Amino acid sequence: QTGRVVRSILRGEFPPVYDLRINAGSVASYLNAAWCWLVDSTSPWALRSYTALIGVITVVVSWWFFRQLFSVRWSLTGVAFVAGLRWLFTINRTAMATIDETILLTFAVLAAYMKAIRSSGYRFYVITGLLLGLAMHLHTGARVLPVIIGADLLVRFWKSPRSIWSRAGAQAAL
């Protein structure tokens, strides 16, 4: 199924806009097609190598996320858990990348958000928003992320509203 959709995208049968009415490929299919175009193949190896690459990037991004929260020892434990996730192996065998990309983007969104709340600028908030939009567009399971981030911001505002507004004022003055 994935190979057929990717080949159709590469032949130009689907427009580069996702539309449910015409049953076009998902964003994950377009990313997979871009990878197949880059490696100049639509073989099973090319389709599976894309999801394997997403799996490797997931492990690296999860390291970034865990490292912001824990020591090196606990971060390695978390990364070992992520690397051993059954989904990363099962999904990679069938070249279905949507779940892998959701896991990757979940870690990326949370890591960027953790960096944003620890930094003084708004650059990482923008990065968090862009990654969040992409994650929500790729898979409906990522729609829980705004609830998590919103709850955290609400708790932070509840605990110290002055620090949030003074930080915003300091940024606006710059």
Side-chain angles (χ1 to χ4, degrees):
Q1 176 71 17
T2 303
R4 189 174 344 122
V5 172
V6 166
R7 285 183 201 95
S8 297
I9 290 170
L10 290 174
R11 284 192 304 261
E13 294 174 8
F14 290 139
V17 176
Y18 184 64
D19 188 356
L20 289 174
R21 294 172 293 166
I22 61 172
N23 196 21
S26 67
V27 174
S29 299
Y30 284 98
L31 292 173
N32 204 340
W35 173 256
C36 288
W37 176 80
L38 187 68
V39 297
D40 196 28
S41 174
T42 56
S43 68
W45 175 87
L47 295 168
R48 291 179 183 147
S49 67
Y50 171 74
T51 54
L53 178 67
I54 294 295
V56 169
I57 295 171
T58 299
V59 171
V60 172
V61 170
S62 66
W63 167 258
W64 181 44
F65 170 69
F66 288 129
R67 204 50 203 112
Q68 291 185 43
L69 297 175
F70 306 114
S71 67
V72 172
R73 182 179 186 180
W74 286 108
S75 297
L76 285 173
T77 304
V79 167
F81 174 75
V82 170
L85 281 175
R86 181 175 172 261
W87 281 349
L88 293 179
F89 293 110
T90 304
I91 302 301
N92 283 345
R93 289 185 331 162
T94 59
M96 295 174 57
T98 308
I99 299 297
D100 288 354
E101 290 163 347
T102 304
I103 296 169
L104 167 66
L105 287 171
T106 298
F107 280 120
V109 166
L110 294 175
Y113 176 68
M114 295 299 295
K115 187 76 170 172
I117 60 176
R118 292 184 176 143
S119 66
S120 61
Y122 287 104
R123 181 179 71 213
F124 281 100
Y125 283 108
V126 172
I127 292 170
T128 300
L130 292 172
L131 290 171
L132 184 61
L134 182 60
M136 289 172 48
H137 191 67
L138 280 172
H139 199 273
T140 57
R143 292 184 181 159
V144 73
L145 289 172
V147 174
I148 293 170
I149 291 173
D152 183 64
L153 284 173
L154 187 62
V155 167
R156 289 178 188 281
F157 180 73
W158 187 272
K159 286 183 177 180
S160 178
R162 286 187 182 269
S163 68
I164 290 176
W165 293 120
S166 64
R167 181 175 160 188
Q171 291 296 319
L174 295 176

